[in-house]
Amino acid sequence: MKPRRKKLYGVDVLPEMSTGASDKAQIRSKGVQCYGIGPAIDYEDGAKGFGAHSDQERILEAELHRFVRFQYEVVMDVARAR
């Protein structure tokens, strides 16, 4: 998986824990494994102080495409590993 991460973002991507919450707890309580990944980058709004859950919560179209491609590659790598 490392070459694709480098290819898409130009750096190694490392796991991290977020203090935020999602609906995954309710899904896990039903016995479904679920994980979140979110390597989207916002060069345009981040410098202005906007970010997740701000009054300008958005993502650039180019970043959305890269984000979806990254998720696709992760799922394919996990599926191949089984």
Side-chain angles (χ1 to χ4, degrees):
M1 196 161 45
K2 183 177 177 179
R4 285 190 253 287
R5 291 184 290 200
K6 277 251 193 217
K7 176 182 158 189
L8 292 169
Y9 288 96
V11 297
D12 286 327
V13 178
L14 302 173
E16 72 172 358
M17 288 188 73
S18 172
T19 58
S22 73
D23 295 333
K24 289 190 274 308
Q26 289 81 10
I27 297 170
R28 285 190 188 111
S29 73
K30 302 295 183 189
V32 179
Q33 289 184 358
C34 54
Y35 305 92
I37 57 175
I41 298 172
D42 181 2
Y43 294 112
E44 183 178 287
D45 292 327
K48 298 175 188 172
F50 298 117
H53 311 301
S54 73
D55 59 347
Q56 279 195 359
E57 186 173 10
R58 63 184 185 169
I59 186 169
L60 300 173
E61 185 177 350
E63 286 304 315
L64 176 63
H65 290 287
R66 182 161 57 164
F67 179 60
V68 170
R69 182 65 190 188
F70 180 85
Q71 289 190 354
Y72 174 82
E73 296 292 345
V74 168
V75 169
M76 293 303 291
D77 285 342
V78 169
R80 275 192 288 273
R82 292 183 173 249

